[in-house]
Amino acid sequence: MTDHSPVSIFEPARLGPITLRNRVIRAATFEGRTPRSLVTDDLIDFHRRPAAGGVGMTTIAYLAVAPEGRTDRGQIWMRPEAVPGLQELTEAIHDEGAAVSAQIGHAGPVANARSNRAPALSASTRFGPTGRIHAASSDDLTRIVAAHADAAGFAVESGFDAVELHFGHNYLASSFLSPRLNKRTDDYGGSLENRARLTRECARAVRDAVGGRIAITAKLNMDDGVPGGFWVDEAIQVAQWLEADGSLDALALTMGSSLLNPMYLFKGDAPIRDFAEAMPQPIRTGVKAVGKYFIKEYPYEPLFMLEEARQIRAAVDMPLILLGGVTDNAGMNRALDEGFQFVAMARALLREPDLVNRLQAQADATSLCIHCNKCMPTIYTGSRCVLAAAK
Protein backbone atom coordinates (compact mmCIF):
# COMPACT_ATOMS: atom_id res chain seq x y z
CA MET A 1 0.00 0.00 0.00
CA THR A 2 1.18 3.53 -0.79
CA ASP A 3 1.85 5.77 2.21
CA HIS A 4 -0.37 8.86 1.93
CA SER A 5 0.95 10.54 5.10
CA PRO A 6 1.89 14.26 4.89
CA VAL A 7 5.09 14.92 2.96
CA SER A 8 7.07 17.84 1.59
CA ILE A 9 7.65 18.35 -2.12
CA PHE A 10 11.31 19.15 -1.46
CA GLU A 11 12.18 16.16 0.71
CA PRO A 12 13.90 13.04 -0.68
CA ALA A 13 11.49 10.44 -2.03
CA ARG A 14 11.75 6.78 -3.01
CA LEU A 15 10.86 5.78 -6.54
CA GLY A 16 11.17 2.01 -6.73
CA PRO A 17 14.83 1.16 -6.09
CA ILE A 18 16.10 4.77 -6.27
CA THR A 19 15.83 7.88 -4.12
CA LEU A 20 15.21 11.30 -5.68
CA ARG A 21 16.36 14.43 -3.86
CA ASN A 22 12.83 15.85 -4.18
CA ARG A 23 9.46 15.03 -5.76
CA VAL A 24 9.72 17.21 -8.88
CA ILE A 25 10.36 15.52 -12.21
CA ARG A 26 11.16 17.28 -15.46
CA ALA A 27 8.68 15.74 -17.89
CA ALA A 28 9.80 14.41 -21.24
CA THR A 29 9.47 16.93 -24.07
CA PHE A 30 11.21 16.31 -27.38
CA GLU A 31 14.39 18.36 -27.41
CA GLY A 32 15.20 18.54 -31.15
CA ARG A 33 18.93 18.48 -30.40
CA THR A 34 20.11 15.18 -31.91
CA PRO A 35 20.37 15.71 -35.70
CA ARG A 36 22.40 12.51 -36.19
CA SER A 37 20.40 10.34 -33.79
CA LEU A 38 23.15 10.55 -31.17
CA VAL A 39 23.74 12.62 -28.03
CA THR A 40 25.14 16.12 -28.59
CA ASP A 41 26.69 18.66 -26.23
CA ASP A 42 23.58 20.75 -26.83
CA LEU A 43 21.35 17.94 -25.53
CA ILE A 44 23.54 17.51 -22.47
CA ASP A 45 23.42 21.23 -21.71
CA PHE A 46 19.64 21.27 -22.24
CA HIS A 47 19.17 18.74 -19.42
CA ARG A 48 22.02 19.97 -17.26
CA ARG A 49 20.22 23.30 -16.75
CA PRO A 50 17.07 21.97 -15.00
CA ALA A 51 19.24 19.46 -13.12
CA ALA A 52 21.33 22.34 -11.77
CA GLY A 53 18.05 24.21 -11.27
CA GLY A 54 16.81 21.76 -8.69
CA VAL A 55 14.66 19.03 -10.24
CA GLY A 56 14.78 15.64 -8.60
CA MET A 57 14.93 13.89 -11.95
CA THR A 58 15.01 14.95 -15.59
CA THR A 59 13.61 12.83 -18.42
CA ILE A 60 15.32 12.40 -21.78
CA ALA A 61 12.81 12.35 -24.64
CA TYR A 62 12.31 10.62 -26.87
CA LEU A 63 14.47 7.47 -27.15
CA ALA A 64 12.89 5.12 -29.67
CA VAL A 65 13.17 1.37 -29.22
CA ALA A 66 13.47 0.82 -32.99
CA PRO A 67 14.51 3.03 -35.92
CA GLU A 68 11.04 3.05 -37.50
CA GLY A 69 9.57 4.14 -34.15
CA ARG A 70 10.91 7.71 -34.33
CA THR A 71 8.72 10.76 -34.89
CA ASP A 72 11.71 12.33 -36.62
CA ARG A 73 14.77 10.73 -38.20
CA GLY A 74 17.05 12.79 -35.97
CA GLN A 75 15.75 11.22 -32.79
CA ILE A 76 17.96 8.83 -30.87
CA TRP A 77 17.06 5.16 -31.11
CA MET A 78 18.47 2.80 -28.52
CA ARG A 79 21.42 0.83 -29.88
CA PRO A 80 25.06 0.20 -28.93
CA GLU A 81 26.31 3.25 -30.86
CA ALA A 82 24.15 5.53 -28.69
CA VAL A 83 25.50 4.28 -25.36
CA PRO A 84 28.77 6.28 -25.07
CA GLY A 85 26.98 9.60 -25.59
CA LEU A 86 24.19 8.61 -23.22
CA GLN A 87 26.79 7.70 -20.60
CA GLU A 88 28.29 11.17 -20.93
CA LEU A 89 24.81 12.67 -20.54
CA THR A 90 23.88 10.69 -17.43
CA GLU A 91 27.22 11.52 -15.80
CA ALA A 92 26.61 15.24 -16.41
CA ILE A 93 23.16 15.07 -14.80
CA HIS A 94 24.45 13.09 -11.84
CA ASP A 95 27.17 15.69 -11.33
CA GLU A 96 24.38 18.22 -10.72
CA GLY A 97 22.81 16.02 -8.04
CA ALA A 98 19.75 14.93 -10.05
CA ALA A 99 18.60 11.56 -11.30
CA VAL A 100 17.89 10.95 -14.99
CA SER A 101 15.24 8.86 -16.74
CA ALA A 102 15.10 7.60 -20.33
CA GLN A 103 11.71 7.79 -21.99
CA ILE A 104 11.52 4.78 -24.30
CA GLY A 105 8.81 3.67 -26.69
CA HIS A 106 7.64 3.28 -30.25
CA ALA A 107 5.87 6.18 -31.96
CA GLY A 108 3.67 3.90 -34.06
CA PRO A 109 1.23 5.99 -36.14
CA VAL A 110 2.94 9.20 -34.99
CA ALA A 111 6.24 8.08 -36.55
CA ASN A 112 7.45 9.97 -39.61
CA ALA A 113 7.53 7.25 -42.26
CA ARG A 114 8.98 9.62 -44.84
CA SER A 115 12.00 10.72 -42.84
CA ASN A 116 12.49 7.27 -41.26
CA ARG A 117 12.31 5.64 -44.71
CA ALA A 118 10.29 2.86 -43.11
CA PRO A 119 6.55 2.19 -42.78
CA ALA A 120 4.74 3.68 -39.80
CA LEU A 121 2.90 1.09 -37.72
CA SER A 122 -0.34 1.21 -35.78
CA ALA A 123 -2.98 -1.11 -34.39
CA SER A 124 -4.86 -0.90 -37.69
CA THR A 125 -4.29 0.45 -41.17
CA ARG A 126 -5.09 4.13 -41.72
CA PHE A 127 -3.74 7.18 -43.48
CA GLY A 128 -1.66 9.78 -41.67
CA PRO A 129 0.18 13.04 -42.34
CA THR A 130 3.17 11.25 -43.90
CA GLY A 131 1.27 8.59 -45.84
CA ARG A 132 -0.21 5.16 -45.27
CA ILE A 133 0.09 3.71 -41.77
CA HIS A 134 0.34 -0.06 -41.68
CA ALA A 135 -1.27 -2.46 -39.23
CA ALA A 136 1.48 -4.05 -37.14
CA SER A 137 1.84 -7.78 -37.76
CA SER A 138 2.25 -10.33 -35.00
CA ASP A 139 5.94 -10.55 -35.92
CA ASP A 140 6.20 -6.74 -35.62
CA LEU A 141 4.70 -6.88 -32.14
CA THR A 142 7.00 -9.67 -30.97
CA ARG A 143 9.98 -7.70 -32.25
CA ILE A 144 8.83 -4.43 -30.66
CA VAL A 145 8.16 -6.00 -27.25
CA ALA A 146 11.69 -7.45 -27.33
CA ALA A 147 13.02 -4.05 -28.45
CA HIS A 148 11.55 -2.44 -25.31
CA ALA A 149 13.49 -4.91 -23.19
CA ASP A 150 16.68 -4.27 -25.17
CA ALA A 151 16.22 -0.50 -24.90
CA ALA A 152 15.84 -0.77 -21.13
CA GLY A 153 19.05 -2.79 -21.04
CA PHE A 154 20.86 -0.07 -22.97
CA ALA A 155 19.46 2.46 -20.47
CA VAL A 156 20.99 0.51 -17.60
CA GLU A 157 24.31 0.30 -19.45
CA SER A 158 24.17 4.05 -20.07
CA GLY A 159 23.78 4.89 -16.39
CA PHE A 160 20.11 5.91 -16.29
CA ASP A 161 18.33 5.74 -12.96
CA ALA A 162 14.93 5.04 -14.51
CA VAL A 163 13.03 4.43 -17.71
CA GLU A 164 9.64 5.85 -18.62
CA LEU A 165 7.60 3.69 -21.00
CA HIS A 166 5.57 5.79 -23.45
CA PHE A 167 2.03 4.41 -23.44
CA GLY A 168 0.29 7.70 -24.27
CA HIS A 169 -0.57 10.22 -26.98
CA ASN A 170 -1.60 7.57 -29.54
CA TYR A 171 1.95 6.36 -29.95
CA LEU A 172 2.04 2.64 -30.73
CA ALA A 173 0.89 1.16 -27.41
CA SER A 174 -1.69 3.93 -27.05
CA SER A 175 -3.01 3.27 -30.57
CA PHE A 176 -3.75 -0.29 -29.46
CA LEU A 177 -5.57 0.97 -26.36
CA SER A 178 -7.77 3.28 -28.46
CA PRO A 179 -11.12 1.85 -29.67
CA ARG A 180 -11.03 4.45 -32.45
CA LEU A 181 -7.63 3.38 -33.80
CA ASN A 182 -7.74 -0.33 -32.99
CA LYS A 183 -10.06 -2.29 -35.28
CA ARG A 184 -8.19 -5.60 -35.00
CA THR A 185 -9.95 -8.94 -34.64
CA ASP A 186 -7.00 -10.90 -33.22
CA ASP A 187 -5.72 -11.21 -29.63
CA TYR A 188 -4.70 -7.52 -29.69
CA GLY A 189 -8.10 -6.07 -30.62
CA GLY A 190 -11.72 -5.98 -29.49
CA SER A 191 -11.99 -6.22 -25.71
CA LEU A 192 -10.08 -3.86 -23.43
CA GLU A 193 -8.09 -6.83 -22.15
CA ASN A 194 -6.94 -7.53 -25.70
CA ARG A 195 -6.29 -3.87 -26.52
CA ALA A 196 -4.17 -3.56 -23.36
CA ARG A 197 -2.16 -6.69 -24.17
CA LEU A 198 0.71 -4.88 -25.94
CA THR A 199 1.01 -2.30 -23.14
CA ARG A 200 1.25 -5.00 -20.51
CA GLU A 201 3.64 -7.14 -22.54
CA CYS A 202 6.03 -4.22 -23.03
CA ALA A 203 5.97 -3.36 -19.34
CA ARG A 204 6.55 -6.98 -18.33
CA ALA A 205 9.40 -7.38 -20.83
CA VAL A 206 11.14 -4.32 -19.40
CA ARG A 207 10.71 -5.52 -15.81
CA ASP A 208 12.05 -8.95 -16.74
CA ALA A 209 15.03 -7.32 -18.47
CA VAL A 210 16.12 -4.92 -15.72
CA GLY A 211 14.61 -6.36 -12.54
CA GLY A 212 15.13 -3.86 -9.74
CA ARG A 213 18.30 -2.26 -11.07
CA ILE A 214 16.48 0.91 -12.14
CA ALA A 215 13.04 2.43 -11.58
CA ILE A 216 10.33 1.78 -14.19
CA THR A 217 7.57 4.30 -14.78
CA ALA A 218 5.07 4.61 -17.60
CA LYS A 219 3.14 7.47 -19.18
CA LEU A 220 -0.50 6.43 -19.64
CA ASN A 221 -3.31 8.34 -21.31
CA MET A 222 -6.43 9.00 -19.29
CA ASP A 223 -8.24 10.55 -22.24
CA ASP A 224 -7.29 10.70 -25.94
CA GLY A 225 -9.33 13.89 -26.43
CA VAL A 226 -11.13 12.53 -29.51
CA PRO A 227 -14.57 10.96 -29.99
CA GLY A 228 -14.44 7.20 -29.72
CA GLY A 229 -10.99 7.22 -28.19
CA PHE A 230 -9.53 5.81 -24.98
CA TRP A 231 -11.27 7.30 -21.97
CA VAL A 232 -10.75 7.47 -18.21
CA ASP A 233 -13.05 4.54 -17.37
CA GLU A 234 -10.83 2.22 -19.42
CA ALA A 235 -7.67 3.94 -18.17
CA ILE A 236 -8.66 3.05 -14.62
CA GLN A 237 -8.83 -0.63 -15.51
CA VAL A 238 -5.52 -0.56 -17.39
CA ALA A 239 -3.87 1.18 -14.44
CA GLN A 240 -5.21 -1.52 -12.14
CA TRP A 241 -3.87 -4.27 -14.41
CA LEU A 242 -0.44 -2.62 -14.57
CA GLU A 243 -0.40 -2.35 -10.80
CA ALA A 244 -1.40 -5.99 -10.38
CA ASP A 245 1.27 -7.07 -12.88
CA GLY A 246 3.96 -5.51 -10.69
CA SER A 247 5.81 -4.17 -13.73
CA LEU A 248 5.91 -0.50 -12.72
CA ASP A 249 7.19 1.59 -9.84
CA ALA A 250 5.00 4.59 -10.72
CA LEU A 251 2.53 5.79 -13.32
CA ALA A 252 2.59 9.24 -14.96
CA LEU A 253 -0.86 10.37 -16.08
CA THR A 254 -1.37 12.25 -19.33
CA MET A 255 -3.91 12.92 -22.08
CA GLY A 256 -4.26 13.89 -25.73
CA SER A 257 -3.32 12.51 -29.12
CA SER A 258 -0.25 13.62 -31.06
CA LEU A 259 -1.94 12.02 -34.06
CA LEU A 260 -5.47 13.46 -33.81
CA ASN A 261 -5.59 16.28 -31.22
CA PRO A 262 -2.16 17.45 -30.03
CA MET A 263 -3.23 20.61 -28.19
CA TYR A 264 -5.54 18.65 -25.85
CA LEU A 265 -2.44 17.78 -23.84
CA PHE A 266 -1.06 21.30 -23.52
CA LYS A 267 -3.93 23.75 -22.97
CA GLY A 268 -3.40 27.46 -23.57
CA ASP A 269 -2.85 29.32 -26.84
CA ALA A 270 -2.69 27.50 -30.18
CA PRO A 271 0.14 29.15 -32.19
CA ILE A 272 -1.03 28.04 -35.64
CA ARG A 273 0.99 30.60 -37.59
CA ASP A 274 4.16 29.66 -35.69
CA PHE A 275 3.56 25.99 -36.46
CA ALA A 276 3.05 26.83 -40.12
CA GLU A 277 6.27 28.85 -40.35
CA ALA A 278 8.20 25.92 -38.91
CA MET A 279 6.98 23.61 -41.69
CA PRO A 280 8.35 23.15 -45.23
CA GLN A 281 6.19 23.92 -48.22
CA PRO A 282 3.57 22.83 -49.20
CA ILE A 283 2.72 21.77 -45.63
CA ARG A 284 3.18 25.37 -44.48
CA THR A 285 0.38 26.63 -46.71
CA GLY A 286 -1.87 23.78 -45.65
CA VAL A 287 -1.37 24.46 -41.95
CA LYS A 288 -2.16 28.14 -42.45
CA ALA A 289 -5.32 27.24 -44.34
CA VAL A 290 -6.80 24.43 -42.24
CA GLY A 291 -4.64 24.31 -39.10
CA LYS A 292 -7.46 25.63 -36.93
CA TYR A 293 -9.37 22.38 -37.49
CA PHE A 294 -6.48 20.26 -36.18
CA ILE A 295 -4.54 22.56 -33.83
CA LYS A 296 -7.38 23.38 -31.46
CA GLU A 297 -7.27 25.75 -28.52
CA TYR A 298 -8.23 24.77 -24.97
CA PRO A 299 -8.27 27.15 -21.99
CA TYR A 300 -5.41 26.78 -19.54
CA GLU A 301 -5.95 26.38 -15.83
CA PRO A 302 -3.63 25.20 -13.06
CA LEU A 303 -3.53 21.43 -12.49
CA PHE A 304 -5.69 20.88 -15.55
CA MET A 305 -5.34 17.08 -15.41
CA LEU A 306 -6.26 16.78 -11.75
CA GLU A 307 -9.96 16.04 -12.17
CA GLU A 308 -9.35 12.93 -14.26
CA ALA A 309 -6.20 11.96 -12.37
CA ARG A 310 -8.19 11.85 -9.14
CA GLN A 311 -10.20 8.97 -10.57
CA ILE A 312 -7.02 6.97 -11.18
CA ARG A 313 -5.75 7.91 -7.71
CA ALA A 314 -8.90 6.51 -6.13
CA ALA A 315 -8.56 3.21 -7.99
CA VAL A 316 -4.91 2.24 -7.42
CA ASP A 317 -2.36 2.31 -4.62
CA MET A 318 0.81 2.57 -6.73
CA PRO A 319 2.70 5.88 -6.79
CA LEU A 320 1.33 8.39 -9.31
CA ILE A 321 2.95 11.37 -11.03
CA LEU A 322 0.71 14.38 -11.68
CA LEU A 323 1.41 16.39 -14.82
CA GLY A 324 -0.33 19.41 -16.30
CA GLY A 325 -0.32 22.99 -15.06
CA VAL A 326 2.11 22.39 -12.19
CA THR A 327 3.89 25.72 -11.80
CA ASP A 328 3.98 26.83 -8.16
CA ASN A 329 4.15 25.67 -4.56
CA ALA A 330 0.39 25.87 -4.10
CA GLY A 331 -0.18 23.49 -6.99
CA MET A 332 2.55 21.08 -5.91
CA ASN A 333 1.30 20.98 -2.34
CA ARG A 334 -2.25 20.40 -3.54
CA ALA A 335 -1.05 17.47 -5.63
CA LEU A 336 0.58 15.92 -2.58
CA ASP A 337 -2.51 16.59 -0.47
CA GLU A 338 -4.58 14.76 -3.09
CA GLY A 339 -2.37 11.69 -2.74
CA PHE A 340 0.05 12.02 -5.65
CA GLN A 341 3.64 11.15 -4.85
CA PHE A 342 5.40 13.21 -7.54
CA VAL A 343 4.70 16.14 -9.86
CA ALA A 344 6.06 16.75 -13.33
CA MET A 345 6.83 20.02 -15.12
CA ALA A 346 7.73 20.75 -18.72
CA ARG A 347 6.92 24.15 -20.26
CA ALA A 348 7.59 26.03 -17.02
CA LEU A 349 11.13 24.63 -16.98
CA LEU A 350 11.71 25.68 -20.57
CA ARG A 351 10.94 29.21 -19.44
CA GLU A 352 13.00 28.94 -16.23
CA PRO A 353 15.30 25.94 -15.82
CA ASP A 354 16.02 27.06 -12.24
CA LEU A 355 12.35 27.32 -11.25
CA VAL A 356 12.50 24.48 -8.71
CA ASN A 357 15.32 26.15 -6.79
CA ARG A 358 13.39 29.41 -6.85
CA LEU A 359 10.21 27.73 -5.59
CA GLN A 360 12.14 26.08 -2.78
CA ALA A 361 13.68 29.40 -1.74
CA GLN A 362 10.53 31.50 -2.07
CA ALA A 363 7.15 30.10 -1.00
CA ASP A 364 5.09 32.56 -3.05
CA ALA A 365 7.21 32.38 -6.22
CA THR A 366 5.32 31.86 -9.47
CA SER A 367 6.36 30.64 -12.89
CA LEU A 368 6.99 33.14 -15.68
CA CYS A 369 5.49 30.73 -18.25
CA ILE A 370 2.38 32.29 -19.84
CA HIS A 371 1.25 29.12 -21.69
CA CYS A 372 1.52 30.77 -25.10
CA ASN A 373 2.79 27.42 -26.45
CA LYS A 374 5.13 29.13 -28.88
CA CYS A 375 7.75 26.71 -27.56
CA MET A 376 5.99 23.86 -29.35
CA PRO A 377 6.95 24.71 -32.96
CA THR A 378 10.58 25.10 -31.86
CA ILE A 379 10.96 21.31 -31.49
CA TYR A 380 12.06 21.26 -35.14
CA THR A 381 15.04 23.52 -34.46
CA GLY A 382 15.76 22.92 -30.77
CA SER A 383 13.03 23.19 -28.11
CA ARG A 384 13.16 26.48 -26.26
CA CYS A 385 11.01 29.21 -24.74
CA VAL A 386 10.93 31.98 -27.32
CA LEU A 387 10.27 34.57 -24.60
CA ALA A 388 13.34 33.54 -22.63
CA ALA A 389 15.41 33.42 -25.82
CA ALA A 390 14.31 36.96 -26.63
CA LYS A 391 15.59 38.41 -23.32
Side-chain angles (χ1 to χ4, degrees), residues 176-179 182-196 234:
F176 274 76
L177 289 170
S178 167
N182 187 342
K183 304 300 182 184
R184 299 173 77 100
T185 57
D186 63 3
D187 289 344
Y188 291 89
S191 68
L192 177 60
E193 184 175 10
N194 282 355
R195 286 184 279 119
E234 293 190 323

Side-chain angles (χ1 to χ4, degrees), residues 157-223:
E157 184 180 354
S158 300
F160 283 95
D161 305 285
V163 290
E164 178 184 74
L165 313 181
H166 200 326
F167 296 153
H169 307 163
N170 286 164
Y171 281 39
L172 185 64
S174 178
S175 78
F176 274 76
L177 289 170
S178 167
R180 175 165 173 165
L181 298 177
N182 187 342
K183 304 300 182 184
R184 299 173 77 100
T185 57
D186 63 3
D187 289 344
Y188 291 89
S191 68
L192 177 60
E193 184 175 10
N194 282 355
R195 286 184 279 119
R197 191 179 305 278
L198 178 63
T199 293
R200 297 172 73 185
E201 287 179 347
C202 289
R204 171 49 59 190
V206 169
R207 175 61 76 191
D208 288 346
V210 305
R213 289 180 290 172
I214 60 175
I216 304 173
T217 71
K219 181 168 281 187
L220 179 71
N221 260 23
M222 300 179 289
D223 172 9

